[in-house]
Amino acid sequence: MTTAYAQSAPNFSDGLLNMTEPSNLNPSPPLVMHPALTNLEVICTISSYTQRGSLPALASTCRAFKHPALNALWRDLQSVEPLVKCLPSDLFSIDQDRVVLQKPIDSKLWDTLFEYSSRVHSITVTQKSIPSTVIEPLSMLMLSSPSTTASWFPNLHKLTWHADGTHIFAPFLRMALVPSMLALHVEISSASDSTFLSVLSSLGTLCPYLQNVTMRARHQSDDFKLLRKISPFIARPISQLHHLHTLSVWDAGSEITEHVMKIRAMQSLSLDLRPSSTWNEKPRFQFPGFDDLKWFSLSTETIEHASNVFRSLQIVKSKKIKVDITSHNETDSLSIFFSEIATISQFLTILKERCDHDKLEYFSLSIGYSKGLRTKSGDFMSLRAFPNLTHLLIEGAGHISMSDEALCQLARAWPKLRVLKISSFIATNGSTEVPTFHGLINLLWCCPALTSLALVIDTTKSGGIDLKCPGGGRCNKRLEFLTLGNSRISDPVNVALIISGLFPYLKQVDLSCWQRPPMNTTAHRRADMGQWETVNMMLHGFGVAKERSIETWSDCL
């Protein structure tokens, strides 16, 4: 026994199938269209700003609005459900828990489907957006389609896939991989089967003009098994793509690495090497490296692995480099941190040897599970070799011991620095030295272009600083963001006076770091945060006073 397959078309599909030309039965005289509405660019702009639910009505208004409104309606799909929902409700039924086609699809309906699907430029598929009640009818449509799969989405440029990779999804993926595809973002789960992976293995021939590819594996306990299973299906098709400029992928083998190095258009490369055991040992040979990258991102489980990756490259010429060390095992990670072969200093020395000194402008190093790790300012001296740095972000590098003199010695090498972040939490004790306001003042002289600063200092050591002119005539009017983390504080009023003098246009000190680990679990969090809230209240008051004085002065002119 069959039951009707319930389908309720979403608001943005209502009326599309029955759209007709405006009626000529209206006895009133025809309205003259404003000349601006004869301009296609104006109509497209109006359609782009129209709410999605109103686009079908706009498309029905007149011939001039039909195509621009439909283009805006179907351009970016957050689900493939609209393709099924716009079909007649009696086309499918459910028989014994399976979706069945009740009658053949006539040519008029095919023309309607192709008219809509040809307008699609991007599709986002998630597990929630593509239930079996949608994917099964869609698979039937594809099997009975009178045209080739490429004709369904001839203008599709981008596909984002965050759903399971089981065989039931394979037909749709095959239909969506078309020659016009320029960007593909796929998240592969352990549920992915050989049918789904075999479709991905044809990526190089189905989408030869791909420029932007992201392949991610969902990190679970069986990462190694998953990667060994799917890597062969990924490595070869990616090695067939010759127009790539952006690639994000796990360690799928040397074949991809060698291919990427030969692509002249390559601009951005992100490698997730965390599940890989390849980098446990120093490399036995070197790759040529990269000559002209804009972005190079590396994720590894240990800093030793990151060191070995850079050792394997003869040269890395990139404007931006980001290194994330995130271990799943805190104990193993710490044992390597304290070993002789895995110090931050040695890693940065290798970075200095491999990277182009003049090209590097952005460097970020984030280290997880760094409890108890102690570093000193000398560990970062290798970074002084990069004079054009505009962004330097160091997070999680343990308890960094740094004096005022050491901070200035580092900063003098980076006169163009705009963003500086050296951890927002340091467990200060007798052996850990942190800068003071004196070091902060000298920092302004060394790096006058700073717009963002995150640094732990000791605000209690402010002796010799003139509260009326704390910078000695020097201040920074560009700074928009200031985080002082768990900096020691005893006198909020004096701290506010010094900060407002050094950074006259700063509205407040950012306190969001107190909501994140490890600062959200410190013993004196409430009291310490309260001190900084008082500082912000004072800064706000100073700002109001300045505005009033400016208004009063302008009234006197």
Side-chain angles (χ1 to χ4, degrees):
M1 181 176 181
T2 60
T3 58
Y5 179 68
Q7 296 203 3
S8 56
N11 293 335
F12 57 82
S13 295
D14 286 346
L16 285 179
L17 288 176
N18 300 317
M19 212 164 49
T20 59
E21 300 295 336
S23 173
N24 295 323
L25 299 178
N26 192 339
S28 59
L31 297 176
V32 179
M33 181 179 290
H34 191 282
L37 298 181
T38 61
N39 187 307
L40 181 60
E41 185 177 353
V42 172
I43 295 177
C44 289
T45 301
I46 293 174
S47 299
S48 66
Y49 282 95
T50 303
Q51 291 186 354
R52 198 170 185 82
S54 302
L55 283 171
L58 182 63
S60 304
T61 303
C62 64
R63 292 191 187 96
F65 277 94
K66 177 182 176 181
H67 291 293
L70 286 179
N71 288 340
L73 177 65
W74 289 93
R75 182 180 181 87
D76 301 305
L77 292 184
Q78 299 303 309
S79 166
V80 293
E81 193 170 7
L83 287 172
V84 177
K85 290 291 188 179
C86 71
L87 297 172
S89 58
D90 61 346
L91 188 60
F92 296 100
S93 66
I94 297 179
D95 186 4
Q96 296 181 358
D97 297 327
R98 294 183 64 85
V99 177
V100 296
L101 187 66
Q102 287 290 88
K103 56 184 178 181
I105 301 176
D106 57 37
S107 59
K108 183 178 179 180
L109 188 54
W110 280 122
D111 291 341
T112 301
L113 280 173
F114 292 145
E115 181 186 4
Y116 297 155
S117 64
S118 64
R119 302 175 190 271
V120 178
H121 284 209
S122 74
I123 300 176
T124 298
V125 178
T126 63
Q127 198 63 37
K128 292 182 180 179
S129 71
I130 189 167
S132 59
T133 53
V134 172
I135 195 62
E136 290 185 34
L138 203 56
S139 298
M140 288 187 180
L141 288 176
M142 290 181 292
L143 290 174
S144 57
S145 173
S147 303
T148 61
T149 54
S151 63
W152 273 77
F153 299 108
N155 298 307
L156 185 62
H157 298 325
K158 180 180 180 181
L159 174 64
T160 302
W161 188 280
H162 291 161
D164 282 343
T166 55
H167 68 280
I168 193 174
F169 296 97
F172 173 77
L173 181 65
R174 174 62 182 85
M175 179 182 67
L177 295 181
V178 291
S180 61
M181 184 81 67
L182 299 178
L184 176 65
H185 305 289
V186 178
E187 186 177 86
I188 302 176
S189 70
S190 56
S192 302
D193 59 21
S194 57
T195 305
F196 184 86
L197 294 175
S198 65
V199 175
L200 280 180
S201 68
S202 303
L203 186 64
T205 53
L206 296 176
C207 310
Y209 304 106
L210 271 173
Q211 299 176 1
N212 187 326
V213 174
T214 299
M215 292 283 179
R216 299 191 187 280
R218 295 181 189 173
H219 291 291
Q220 298 174 350
S221 58
D222 58 343
D223 278 344
F224 291 102
K225 293 182 179 179
L226 174 61
L227 292 182
R228 279 198 297 267
K229 171 185 175 183
I230 62 181
S231 289
F233 293 91
I234 300 301
R236 184 173 182 180
I238 290 182
S239 65
Q240 295 172 332
L241 301 174
H242 301 284
H243 300 276
L244 280 177
H245 63 65
T246 301
L247 175 63
S248 178
V249 69
W250 63 86
D251 188 1
S254 59
E255 184 179 2
I256 289 182
T257 306
E258 293 176 0
H259 173 68
V260 168
M261 292 177 185
K262 298 175 183 177
I263 302 178
R264 292 182 176 271
M266 182 60 64
Q267 299 177 5
S268 175
L269 177 63
S270 299
L271 299 175
D272 185 356
L273 310 182
R274 287 173 294 176
S276 174
S277 60
T278 305
W279 306 101
N280 288 340
E281 300 177 355
K282 291 183 180 181
R284 299 178 181 178
F285 60 92
Q286 285 186 322
F287 294 105
F290 304 98
D291 288 326
D292 192 20
L293 288 178
K294 292 183 177 179
W295 174 264
F296 181 50
S297 176
L298 188 65
S299 296
T300 66
E301 285 199 339
T302 70
I303 201 165
E304 180 190 8
H305 290 176
S307 299
N308 288 337
V309 172
F310 279 93
R311 284 191 181 103
S312 71
L313 304 172
Q314 292 180 9
I315 192 169
V316 179
K317 291 184 178 181
S318 179
K319 285 187 175 182
K320 299 180 179 181
I321 295 179
K322 185 175 188 291
V323 179
D324 289 325
I325 313 296
T326 53
S327 174
H328 297 292
N329 189 319
E330 180 173 352
T331 303
D332 291 347
S333 179
L334 283 177
S335 65
I336 294 179
F337 281 143
F338 286 108
S339 67
E340 294 181 356
I341 60 173
T343 65
I344 291 177
S345 177
Q346 288 176 336
F347 166 68
L348 295 179
T349 299
I350 296 170
L351 189 80
K352 175 184 174 182
E353 295 172 354
R354 297 296 190 269
C355 296
D356 187 288
H357 293 178
D358 294 325
K359 188 165 187 175
L360 187 63
E361 299 176 0
Y362 175 108
F363 178 68
S364 172
L365 174 62
S366 178
I367 303 176
Y369 292 123
S370 58
K371 282 182 184 177
L373 178 63
R374 302 192 180 281
T375 55
K376 53 187 183 297
S377 57
D379 294 336
F380 302 97
M381 285 300 171
S382 295
L383 293 175
R384 298 182 76 252
F386 305 101
N388 294 319
L389 276 179
T390 60
H391 292 68
L392 176 60
L393 300 93
I394 308 294
E395 184 63 36
H399 308 315
I400 304 175
S401 184
M402 184 176 299
S403 64
D404 290 335
E405 293 75 15
L407 176 62
C408 293
Q409 186 180 1
L410 284 171
R412 286 192 194 99
W414 311 312
K416 301 178 182 179
L417 203 62
R418 297 199 302 267
V419 177
L420 175 63
K421 180 177 183 179
I422 304 181
S423 192
S424 57
F425 176 81
I426 294 178
T428 55
N429 51 44
S431 61
T432 303
E433 187 176 8
V434 297
T436 67
F437 270 128
H438 296 280
L440 190 60
I441 293 171
N442 289 330
L443 180 64
L444 300 186
W445 290 85
C446 299
C447 306
L450 277 175
T451 60
S452 178
L453 176 62
L455 183 68
V456 175
I457 66 174
D458 187 349
T459 68
T460 64
K461 298 178 180 179
S462 58
I465 296 178
D466 184 359
L467 297 181
K468 294 181 180 179
C469 187
R474 174 62 65 95
C475 66
N476 183 318
K477 297 181 179 180
R478 297 183 179 91
L479 200 77
E480 301 174 354
F481 182 88
L482 177 64
T483 296
L484 295 176
N486 66 324
S487 297
R488 289 184 60 191
I489 181 172
S490 60
D491 191 336
V493 176
N494 283 353
V495 170
L497 285 170
I498 295 175
I499 291 176
S500 64
L502 297 178
F503 312 109
Y505 291 103
L506 182 70
K507 295 183 178 180
Q508 64 177 8
V509 177
D510 181 69
L511 302 181
S512 61
C513 56
W514 289 95
Q515 310 300 330
R516 302 187 298 268
M519 290 177 58
N520 63 344
T521 58
T522 57
H524 306 289
R525 173 181 175 274
R526 180 168 296 182
D528 293 341
M529 187 175 176
Q531 295 273 59
W532 286 106
E533 288 174 342
T534 301
V535 170
N536 280 342
M537 290 176 60
M538 299 293 294
L539 291 176
H540 176 72
F542 296 157
V544 172
K546 288 177 184 177
E547 291 178 1
R548 288 179 178 177
S549 64
I550 293 173
E551 291 175 359
T552 303
W553 177 253
S554 62
D555 291 340
C556 296
L557 295 178

PDB file of all heavy atoms in Angstrom, residues 122-134:
ATOM      1  N   SER A 122      26.298  28.055  -6.405  1.00  0.00           N
ATOM      2  CA  SER A 122      26.938  27.411  -5.251  1.00  0.00           C
ATOM      3  C   SER A 122      25.908  26.579  -4.493  1.00  0.00           C
ATOM      4  O   SER A 122      24.730  26.937  -4.433  1.00  0.00           O
ATOM      5  CB  SER A 122      27.572  28.450  -4.324  1.00  0.00           C
ATOM      6  OG  SER A 122      26.588  29.148  -3.583  1.00  0.00           O
ATOM      7  N   ILE A 123      26.375  25.460  -3.937  1.00  0.00           N
ATOM      8  CA  ILE A 123      25.527  24.566  -3.143  1.00  0.00           C
ATOM      9  C   ILE A 123      26.269  24.210  -1.867  1.00  0.00           C
ATOM     10  O   ILE A 123      27.457  23.870  -1.889  1.00  0.00           O
ATOM     11  CB  ILE A 123      25.182  23.266  -3.912  1.00  0.00           C
ATOM     12  CG1 ILE A 123      24.424  23.586  -5.201  1.00  0.00           C
ATOM     13  CG2 ILE A 123      24.349  22.336  -3.037  1.00  0.00           C
ATOM     14  CD1 ILE A 123      24.136  22.352  -6.041  1.00  0.00           C
ATOM     15  N   THR A 124      25.567  24.275  -0.744  1.00  0.00           N
ATOM     16  CA  THR A 124      26.102  23.832   0.542  1.00  0.00           C
ATOM     17  C   THR A 124      25.288  22.638   1.011  1.00  0.00           C
ATOM     18  O   THR A 124      24.067  22.732   1.150  1.00  0.00           O
ATOM     19  CB  THR A 124      26.034  24.957   1.593  1.00  0.00           C
ATOM     20  OG1 THR A 124      26.835  26.055   1.144  1.00  0.00           O
ATOM     21  CG2 THR A 124      26.559  24.474   2.936  1.00  0.00           C
ATOM     22  N   VAL A 125      25.954  21.521   1.225  1.00  0.00           N
ATOM     23  CA  VAL A 125      25.280  20.292   1.638  1.00  0.00           C
ATOM     24  C   VAL A 125      25.755  19.902   3.031  1.00  0.00           C
ATOM     25  O   VAL A 125      26.946  19.674   3.248  1.00  0.00           O
ATOM     26  CB  VAL A 125      25.562  19.134   0.658  1.00  0.00           C
ATOM     27  CG1 VAL A 125      24.888  17.853   1.142  1.00  0.00           C
ATOM     28  CG2 VAL A 125      25.073  19.487  -0.734  1.00  0.00           C
ATOM     29  N   THR A 126      24.838  19.851   3.981  1.00  0.00           N
ATOM     30  CA  THR A 126      25.134  19.370   5.324  1.00  0.00           C
ATOM     31  C   THR A 126      24.249  18.166   5.617  1.00  0.00           C
ATOM     32  O   THR A 126      23.302  17.875   4.873  1.00  0.00           O
ATOM     33  CB  THR A 126      24.874  20.456   6.380  1.00  0.00           C
ATOM     34  OG1 THR A 126      23.474  20.798   6.380  1.00  0.00           O
ATOM     35  CG2 THR A 126      25.691  21.711   6.079  1.00  0.00           C
ATOM     36  N   GLN A 127      24.541  17.480   6.701  1.00  0.00           N
ATOM     37  CA  GLN A 127      23.768  16.290   7.042  1.00  0.00           C
ATOM     38  C   GLN A 127      22.304  16.628   7.283  1.00  0.00           C
ATOM     39  O   GLN A 127      21.407  15.879   6.932  1.00  0.00           O
ATOM     40  CB  GLN A 127      24.363  15.626   8.292  1.00  0.00           C
ATOM     41  CG  GLN A 127      23.929  14.186   8.487  1.00  0.00           C
ATOM     42  CD  GLN A 127      24.394  13.275   7.354  1.00  0.00           C
ATOM     43  OE1 GLN A 127      25.480  13.438   6.837  1.00  0.00           O
ATOM     44  NE2 GLN A 127      23.566  12.315   6.961  1.00  0.00           N
ATOM     45  N   LYS A 128      22.059  17.803   7.869  1.00  0.00           N
ATOM     46  CA  LYS A 128      20.684  18.215   8.163  1.00  0.00           C
ATOM     47  C   LYS A 128      19.962  18.685   6.906  1.00  0.00           C
ATOM     48  O   LYS A 128      18.745  18.550   6.801  1.00  0.00           O
ATOM     49  CB  LYS A 128      20.690  19.335   9.205  1.00  0.00           C
ATOM     50  CG  LYS A 128      21.150  18.889  10.581  1.00  0.00           C
ATOM     51  CD  LYS A 128      21.084  20.041  11.572  1.00  0.00           C
ATOM     52  CE  LYS A 128      21.540  19.602  12.961  1.00  0.00           C
ATOM     53  NZ  LYS A 128      21.492  20.724  13.936  1.00  0.00           N
ATOM     54  N   SER A 129      20.714  19.255   5.953  1.00  0.00           N
ATOM     55  CA  SER A 129      20.063  19.846   4.778  1.00  0.00           C
ATOM     56  C   SER A 129      19.763  18.826   3.687  1.00  0.00           C
ATOM     57  O   SER A 129      19.134  19.165   2.697  1.00  0.00           O
ATOM     58  CB  SER A 129      20.949  20.954   4.191  1.00  0.00           C
ATOM     59  OG  SER A 129      22.103  20.404   3.580  1.00  0.00           O
ATOM     60  N   ILE A 130      20.218  17.585   3.850  1.00  0.00           N
ATOM     61  CA  ILE A 130      19.994  16.595   2.801  1.00  0.00           C
ATOM     62  C   ILE A 130      19.565  15.264   3.419  1.00  0.00           C
ATOM     63  O   ILE A 130      20.290  14.268   3.378  1.00  0.00           O
ATOM     64  CB  ILE A 130      21.262  16.449   1.922  1.00  0.00           C
ATOM     65  CG1 ILE A 130      20.988  15.586   0.692  1.00  0.00           C
ATOM     66  CG2 ILE A 130      22.443  15.954   2.729  1.00  0.00           C
ATOM     67  CD1 ILE A 130      22.065  15.655  -0.356  1.00  0.00           C
ATOM     68  N   PRO A 131      18.369  15.210   4.015  1.00  0.00           N
ATOM     69  CA  PRO A 131      17.876  13.953   4.584  1.00  0.00           C
ATOM     70  C   PRO A 131      17.552  12.948   3.486  1.00  0.00           C
ATOM     71  O   PRO A 131      17.524  13.285   2.293  1.00  0.00           O
ATOM     72  CB  PRO A 131      16.604  14.394   5.326  1.00  0.00           C
ATOM     73  CG  PRO A 131      16.165  15.634   4.620  1.00  0.00           C
ATOM     74  CD  PRO A 131      17.415  16.311   4.154  1.00  0.00           C
ATOM     75  N   SER A 132      17.308  11.718   3.878  1.00  0.00           N
ATOM     76  CA  SER A 132      17.020  10.667   2.901  1.00  0.00           C
ATOM     77  C   SER A 132      15.763  10.969   2.095  1.00  0.00           C
ATOM     78  O   SER A 132      15.643  10.563   0.936  1.00  0.00           O
ATOM     79  CB  SER A 132      16.872   9.317   3.615  1.00  0.00           C
ATOM     80  OG  SER A 132      15.817   9.373   4.571  1.00  0.00           O
ATOM     81  N   THR A 133      14.823  11.705   2.694  1.00  0.00           N
ATOM     82  CA  THR A 133      13.594  12.055   1.974  1.00  0.00           C
ATOM     83  C   THR A 133      13.868  13.029   0.838  1.00  0.00           C
ATOM     84  O   THR A 133      12.996  13.262  -0.003  1.00  0.00           O
ATOM     85  CB  THR A 133      12.572  12.676   2.938  1.00  0.00           C
ATOM     86  OG1 THR A 133      13.203  13.758   3.638  1.00  0.00           O
ATOM     87  CG2 THR A 133      12.068  11.653   3.931  1.00  0.00           C
ATOM     88  N   VAL A 134      15.047  13.602   0.817  1.00  0.00           N
ATOM     89  CA  VAL A 134      15.425  14.506  -0.260  1.00  0.00           C
ATOM     90  C   VAL A 134      16.385  13.822  -1.226  1.00  0.00           C
ATOM     91  O   VAL A 134      16.233  13.908  -2.442  1.00  0.00           O
ATOM     92  CB  VAL A 134      16.077  15.791   0.308  1.00  0.00           C
ATOM     93  CG1 VAL A 134      16.652  16.638  -0.820  1.00  0.00           C
ATOM     94  CG2 VAL A 134      15.057  16.583   1.098  1.00  0.00           C
TER      95      VAL A 134
END
